C-alpha cells in the first residue's frame, strides 16, 4: 500500500508529483507529502488526502526540478502530520518515502537510540532513513553506497525513494516486495508505484525487480543489484491510455467500472473465444496443458474479492474437469505448512498482481515444486512475473478501491481455463463445450441488460440504506456471489453484512432474522432453485425483508420477495458474472445515499502490499 511518485528533469516537479499522487490515492489516503530539491530540501506533508495538502501549501515555494511524493496507508503510527511521509533525516539533508514494512525496525531503532538519535515520528521509515544516514556518516560514503549497505540489514518489504540535498537532481530508489516503475522520458525520469503517474509523458517503462537499486538522474538511469553490479534495464512499452484512468463523466470510478463490465468482459473474451471455430485460444493454458489436465489437484490462492472468484472457479473446475480444487486464503496458506506435491498446480488470482500475501504464498509454493499459473489484471505486476504461466484478465486499470470489473473478468478467465482443460481432458463433450462457448459469448450483451436496472437498484438503495445489518444468501455457484455482495456492502457503506450458503442459515444465522433485517437472496434459476425458494420462505415466515436477484420471468420468487432484480437467463456456471452486478450497484448506491467516499472507503487501500 502507499503510493510513491518521483520526478527528475526539466519540468516543474511539484505538479507532476501531485497529479501522480492523485492517481495513486487508491493505494492509501491517510496522509500526503512531498519533498522538493531546490538548493535545500523542502518537505511539505499533512494528514488527509492529496487535495488537502494542495490547499494547505498554496503560496509556498514549490519551485523544483527534482522531487518525491507519497500518499500513505498507515501501518506504523496513526495517520497524522508527523507520521506522514516524506521523513527527513536527523541532519535534515536526506528525505525519504517508503511503501512497505521494515520488520526489524525496533532493533534498528534501539541501535540508533543508543547512539543518541531521537525520532520525530512513530514510523519504521524514519528509523530506516536514519540508519542509512548513520552508515553514510560512519563509512564516509555516498548515499547510494549507504543505501546498499543498509538494505543488507533490513528485514521486510520496501520501495524507498531518497533525496540528498548535497546531490541535486538525483533520486535513489530501491525495491523489495513492493512495486516500482520507472518511466523514461527525454532528459527526464518518472518514478511511480504503478505507471499511472507517467502515462501522459512516456510509454517506455522499466519495472524494477526485487533487490535492485536505481540511481535516477534526468538523463541517466543506472540499475544495480545489492552487490553493486550494473544490470541492463529491460525497457517495456506501456499499452494503457490516459482515458482508462479518468472518470469519463461518471460521479465515481466505482460506477464507471461497474458500467464498463460489458466491455471488459468482451475484451477478456476477445481473441480467445472463437464461436465459429469452436475453440478457446489461451497460450498460457496451452503451454502447460499436460500439467494442467493431469494435475492431481489444483489449489487456488487469493485474497478478498479475488478469493471469491477462486471459490466460484472451484465449483466450475470440479464440475467440468473433475479435478479436486482447494481454495486458500493466501494469508493463511503462506504461514502454515501446506502439503504441496511437485506438479501441483497453483492458480494465483489477483487484480493488482502485488498483494503481498498472495505473492509470498506463491513464492513458497514455487520453491516446493508447484507450477504457478497467474490470473492477474495488472500487466507486468509482480505476481504476473513470478508465475510460470498465466492469463491476463484485461479489465483495464481498476481505480475504485472496491473491486468490481476485475472480479467479473476473473470469472470469465477462470471459466475459460476450466473449459479448455475439460475439453482437452475429455471430461466434457463437444456439444457441452459449444453450448458453453455460446453462453460465454452472450455474457457481454446480458451484462448490458443487467445494467438497465440501474435506476431500480438506486431506489432499492434508498429504501434499505438505514438498515443496520444485511444477510446475503446463495447456493452453489451463487454462494460466493453472496459473499462478494456482502463484502461490497461492508466496504462501501460500512453496514455490517454477512454472506452465507443459504442452507447454512438454519444452523445459526436465522436467529438474526426479524422484520428489520434485509436478506439478499442470489436466487437465479439453477439446479438449486427449488431449495432456495424454500429458504426464502423460511425467511419470510420470520418476517425478514427479502431482496432477491432472480432470473427474468421467475414469478414464483417475485410473488414471495419484497423486492426483486431480474437478470437474463444464463447457464448456471456463468450466472455469477451477471448476478454480481446488481449487488455491486446496490452497495454503490447505498454508499452514495449515505454520503460516503465510495472510491476511497475508510481504512482501505487498493493494493495491499503489507502482510
Ligand atoms: C475488495 C477488494 C479486496 C481485494 C484483495 C485482493 O473489493 O478489492 O478484497 O480483492 O485485497 O487484491 P488483489 O486482487 O489485487 O490481489
Amino acid at each position: 500500500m502507499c503510493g510513491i511518485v518521483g520526478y527528475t528533469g526539466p519540468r516543474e516537479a511539484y505538479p507532476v508529483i501531485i497529479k501522480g499522487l492523485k492517481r495513486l490515492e487508491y493505494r492509501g489516503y491517510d496522509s500526503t507529502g512531498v519533498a522538493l530539491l531546490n538548493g535545500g530540501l523542502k518537505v511539505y506533508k499533512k494528514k488527509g488526502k492529496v487535495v488537502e495538502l494542495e490547499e494547505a501549501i498554496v503560496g509556498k515555494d514549490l519551485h523544483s526540478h527534482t522531487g518525491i511524493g507519497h500518499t500513505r496507508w498507515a501501518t506504523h503510527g496513526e495517520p497524522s502530520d508527523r507520521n506522514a511521509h516524506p521523513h527527513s533525516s536527523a541532519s535534515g539533508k536526506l528525505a525519504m518515502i517508503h511503501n512497505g514494512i521494515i520488520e526489524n525496525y525496533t532493533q534498528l531503532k534501539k541501535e540508533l537510540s543508543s547512539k543518541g538519535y531521537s525520532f520525530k515520528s512513530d514510523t519504521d521509515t524514519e528509523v530506516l532513513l536514519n540508519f542509512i544516514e548513520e552508515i553514510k556518516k560512519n563509512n564516509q560514503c555516498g548515499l547510494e553506497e549507504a543505501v546498499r549497505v543498509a538494505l543488507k540489514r533490513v528485514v521486510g518489504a520496501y520501495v524507498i525513494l531518497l533525496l540528498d540535498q548535497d546531490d541535486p537532481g538525483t533520486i535513489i530508489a530501491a525495491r523489495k516486495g513492493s512495486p516500482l516503475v520507472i518511466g523514461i522520458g527525454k532528459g527526464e525520469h518518472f518514478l511511480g508505484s504503478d505507471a499511472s503517474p507517467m502515462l501522459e509523458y512516456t510509454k517506455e517503462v522499466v519495472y524494477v525487480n526485487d533487490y535492485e537499486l536505481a540511481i535516477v538522474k534526468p538523463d541517466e538511469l543506472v540499475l544495480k543489484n545489492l552487490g553493486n553490479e550494473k544490470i541492463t534495464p529491460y525497457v517495456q512499452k506501456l499499452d494503457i491510455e490516459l482515458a482508462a484512468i479518468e472518470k469519463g463523466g461518471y460521479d465515481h470510478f466505482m460506477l464507471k467500472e461497474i458500467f464498463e463490465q460489458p466491455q471488459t468482459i468482451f475484451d477478456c473474451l476477445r481473441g480467445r473465444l472463437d464461436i465459429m471455430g469452436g475453440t478457446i485460444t489461451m497460450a498460457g493454458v496451452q503451454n502447460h496443458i499436460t500439467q494442467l489436465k493431469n494435475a492431481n489437484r489444483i489449489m487456488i490462492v487469493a485474497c478478498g474479492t479475488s478469493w471469491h472468484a477462486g471459490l466460484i472457479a472451484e465449483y466450475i473446475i470440479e464440475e467440468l474437469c473433475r479435478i479436486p480444487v482447494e481454495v486458500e486464503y493466501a494469508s493463511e496458506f503462506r504461514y502454515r505448512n501446506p502439503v504441496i506435491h511437485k506438479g501441483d498446480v497453483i492458480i494465483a488470482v489477483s487484480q493488482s498482481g502485488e498483494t503481498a500475501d498472495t505473492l509470498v504464498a506463491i513464492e513458497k509454493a514455487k520453491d516446493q515444486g508447484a507450477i504457478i499459473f497467474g490470473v492477474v489484471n495488472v500487466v507486468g505486476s509482480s505476481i504476473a512475473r513470478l508465475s510460470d504461466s498465466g492469463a491476463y484478465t484485461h479489465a483495464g486499470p481498476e481505480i475504485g478501491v472496491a473491486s468490481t470489473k476485475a472480479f467479473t473478468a476473473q470469472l470469465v478467465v477462470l471459466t475459460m481455463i476450466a473449459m479448455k482443460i475439460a475439453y482437452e481432458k475429455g471430461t466434457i463433450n463437444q456439444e457441452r463445450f459449444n453450448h458453453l462457448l455460446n453462453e460465454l459469448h452472450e455474457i457481454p450483451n446480458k451484462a448490458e441488460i443487467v445494467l438497465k436496472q440501474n435506476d431500480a437498484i438506486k431506489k432499492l438503495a434508498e429504501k434499505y440504506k438505514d438498515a443496520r445489518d444485511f444477510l446475503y444468501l446463495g447456493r452453489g455457484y451463487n454462494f460466493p456471489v453472496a459473499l462478494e455482495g456482502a463484502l461490497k456492502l461492508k466496504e462501501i457503506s460500512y453496514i455490517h453484512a454477512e454472506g452465507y450458503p443459504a442452507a447454512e442459515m438454519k444452523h445459526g444465522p436465522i436467529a438474526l432474522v426479524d422484520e428489520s433485517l434485509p436478506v439478499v437472496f442470489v436466487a437465479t434459476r439453477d439446479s438449486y432453485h427449488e431449495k432456495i425458494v424454500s429458504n426464502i420462505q423460511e425467511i419470510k415466515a420470520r418476517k425478514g425483508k427479502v431482496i432477491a436477484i432472480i432470473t427474468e420471468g421467475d414469478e414464483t420468487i417475485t410473488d414471495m420477495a419484497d423486492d426483486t432484480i431480474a437478470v437474463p437467463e444464463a447457464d448456471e456456471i456463468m450466472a455469477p458474472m451477471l448476478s454480481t452486478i446488481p449487488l455491486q450497484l446496490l452497495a454503490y448506491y447505498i454508499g452514495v445515499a449515505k454520503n460516503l467516499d465510495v472510491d476511497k472507503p475508510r481504512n482501505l487501500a487498493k493494493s495491499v502490499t503489507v502482510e
Side-chain angles (χ1 to χ4, degrees):
M1 356 264 269
C2 301
I4 54 125
V5 182
Y7 174 77
T8 182
R11 296 172 204 264
E12 279 296 332
Y14 176 72
V16 175
I17 292 168
I18 284 291
K19 205 197 283 176
L21 288 178
K22 285 185 180 161
R23 289 184 192 157
L24 290 177
E25 266 192 315
Y26 71 84
R27 302 180 66 86
Y29 29 82
D30 287 331
S31 64
T32 313
V34 294
L36 304 166
L37 262 178
N38 181 25
L41 257 179
K42 287 166 292 193
V43 176
Y44 304 107
K45 54 187 190 171
K46 191 168 172 3
K47 180 180 169 191
K49 296 181 177 145
V50 179
V51 55
E52 293 171 53
L53 175 79
E54 242 185 327
E55 284 163 12
I57 61 177
V58 169
K60 301 261 187 220
D61 174 15
L62 301 171
H63 174 61
S64 161
H65 295 292
T66 304
I68 54 179
H70 187 268
T71 170
R72 179 170 187 243
W73 187 83
T75 56
H76 293 64
E78 56 166 9
S80 65
D81 290 356
R82 70 189 182 90
N83 286 331
H85 300 213
H87 291 280
S88 309
S89 63
S91 73
K93 288 187 169 189
L94 305 180
M96 185 169 106
I97 54 177
H98 169 213
N99 167 28
I101 288 184
I102 308 301
E103 284 170 16
N104 57 340
Y105 89 106
T106 335
Q107 192 192 335
L108 300 177
K109 193 169 184 174
K110 253 191 218 145
E111 284 178 30
L112 291 169
S113 300
S114 70
K115 290 180 179 152
Y117 280 83
S118 60
F119 298 89
K120 298 180 283 262
S121 75
D122 309 316
T123 63
D124 49 347
T125 309
E126 192 189 4
V127 174
L128 175 58
L129 174 62
N130 282 312
F131 185 59
I132 292 170
E133 177 152 85
E134 172 67 11
I135 293 172
K136 186 170 183 277
K137 208 166 64 185
N138 257 353
N139 296 9
Q140 302 218 324
C141 61
L143 181 60
E144 177 197 330
E145 177 63 13
V147 169
R148 196 171 13 254
V149 174
L151 292 183
K152 286 186 185 149
R153 284 276 318 273
V154 161
V155 180
Y158 53 81
V159 159
I160 50 172
L161 261 55
L162 290 110
L163 296 178
D164 180 352
Q165 81 171 37
D166 294 337
D167 188 4
T170 304
I171 300 173
I172 305 278
R175 132 166 201 166
K176 189 208 148 201
S178 301
L180 173 62
V181 185
I182 301 182
I184 302 171
K186 286 199 171 64
E188 58 184 349
H189 283 105
F190 306 83
L191 298 95
S193 298
D194 66 27
S196 62
M198 52 201 81
L199 281 184
E200 61 266 66
Y201 311 111
T202 180
K203 290 275 180 274
E204 299 208 321
V205 296
V206 172
Y207 293 96
V208 178
N209 290 311
D210 280 350
Y211 303 106
E212 286 179 359
L213 197 124
I215 303 103
V216 191
K217 298 177 192 284
D219 46 13
E220 190 186 29
L221 166 65
V222 177
L223 266 192
K224 292 184 176 177
N225 60 23
L226 293 186
N228 200 20
E229 290 158 339
K230 278 199 181 176
I231 298 163
T232 312
Y234 172 50
V235 181
Q236 300 191 37
K237 278 250 175 288
L238 280 178
D239 65 355
I240 312 172
E241 293 306 324
L242 199 55
I245 61 160
E246 289 175 344
K247 278 194 207 145
Y250 286 90
D251 287 343
H252 296 97
F253 282 110
M254 183 175 173
L255 190 62
K256 176 187 174 218
E257 287 158 5
I258 292 172
F259 270 83
E260 277 174 350
Q261 289 176 108
Q263 184 60 45
T264 51
I265 295 173
F266 178 78
D267 289 343
C268 198
L269 297 172
R270 190 172 36 202
R272 290 168 165 165
L273 197 79
D274 178 1
I275 295 280
M276 303 306 281
T279 56
I280 288 177
T281 309
M282 295 177 99
V285 178
Q286 197 57 49
N287 295 343
H288 283 78
I289 195 66
T290 313
Q291 290 100 321
L292 285 164
K293 68 180 192 191
N294 295 325
N296 287 324
R297 168 176 78 149
I298 292 177
M299 294 165 101
I300 301 180
V301 176
C303 303
T305 288
S306 299
W307 186 80
H308 296 155
L311 280 183
I312 296 172
E314 173 186 16
Y315 285 51
I316 300 176
I317 296 172
E318 292 198 340
E319 167 70 24
L320 297 184
C321 313
R322 310 306 300 149
I323 299 172
V325 179
E326 285 165 32
V327 187
E328 300 271 356
Y329 282 117
S331 52
E332 289 296 317
F333 181 81
R334 63 180 288 195
Y335 285 115
R336 61 186 171 80
N337 191 5
V339 180
I340 298 170
H341 302 291
K342 202 169 166 34
D344 275 353
V345 173
I346 307 257
I347 303 183
V349 186
S350 176
Q351 186 287 128
S352 61
E354 300 294 348
T355 301
D357 286 322
T358 311
L359 187 58
V360 180
I362 61 173
E363 270 168 4
K364 196 165 158 181
K366 195 171 179 170
D367 287 347
Q368 294 180 46
I371 296 156
I372 312 295
F373 192 95
V375 173
V376 174
N377 193 38
V378 177
V379 176
S381 56
S382 301
I383 294 174
R385 284 183 291 150
L386 191 76
S387 299
D388 296 298
S389 189
Y392 281 117
T393 45
H394 296 310
E398 192 179 64
I399 315 271
V401 164
S403 191
T404 53
K405 63 175 180 171
F407 176 70
T408 44
Q410 287 166 347
L411 295 183
V412 173
V413 166
L414 289 162
T415 304
M416 284 193 290
I417 293 169
M419 285 169 61
K420 194 158 171 68
I421 299 173
Y423 184 72
E424 297 280 342
K425 200 172 172 210
T427 44
I428 56 172
N429 60 25
Q430 187 73 52
E431 195 188 341
R432 174 99 171 110
F433 185 73
N434 286 346
H435 164 75
L436 292 175
L437 279 184
N438 281 309
E439 284 282 318
L440 257 184
H441 178 69
E442 289 301 319
I443 294 292
N445 287 337
K446 291 180 180 174
E448 200 81 68
I449 296 170
V450 178
L451 289 167
K452 297 215 162 77
Q453 307 268 13
N454 181 59
D455 292 346
I457 298 171
K458 199 170 173 179
K459 283 204 191 105
L460 267 191
E462 276 299 329
K463 180 170 170 188
Y464 290 103
K465 71 177 189 325
D466 296 320
R468 200 192 57 183
D469 307 282
F470 268 74
L471 203 55
Y472 284 71
L473 302 174
R475 298 181 81 120
Y477 297 98
N478 277 328
F479 153 55
V481 176
L483 295 180
E484 176 59 8
L487 177 64
K488 286 289 91 86
L489 189 74
K490 279 183 270 207
E491 288 180 292
I492 301 304
S493 72
Y494 313 151
I495 294 176
H496 167 246
E498 293 203 45
Y500 262 95
E504 190 63 19
M505 169 190 71
K506 56 186 176 293
H507 299 288
I510 199 162
L512 298 169
V513 178
D514 62 15
E515 62 284 348
S516 68
L517 184 79
V519 183
V520 180
F521 275 91
V522 192
T524 49
R525 207 176 283 117
D526 55 18
S527 29
Y528 314 84
H529 192 249
E530 282 170 21
K531 305 280 171 209
I532 206 155
V533 168
S534 308
N535 297 139
I536 293 176
Q537 270 163 341
E538 287 155 15
I539 294 290
K540 283 311 300 173
R542 285 157 184 88
K543 299 195 167 37
K545 297 273 174 297
V546 170
I547 305 162
I549 311 300
I550 56 167
T551 305
E552 279 168 356
D554 185 338
E555 301 298 338
T556 314
I557 298 186
T558 308
D559 289 346
M560 275 178 219
D562 294 85
D563 294 285
T564 53
I565 299 290
V567 300
E569 179 109 49
D571 188 284
E572 64 182 1
I573 286 179
M574 286 144 207
M577 298 171 196
L578 303 175
S579 55
T580 304
I581 297 174
L583 304 186
Q584 298 169 341
L585 284 169
L586 184 64
Y588 170 78
Y589 282 118
I590 292 183
V592 171
K594 290 172 93 76
N595 213 7
L596 298 170
D597 189 348
V598 293
D599 277 342
K600 298 185 198 109
R602 71 179 178 212
N603 303 337
L604 291 176
K606 180 113 193 112
S607 186
V608 186
T609 54
V610 296
E611 301 172 24

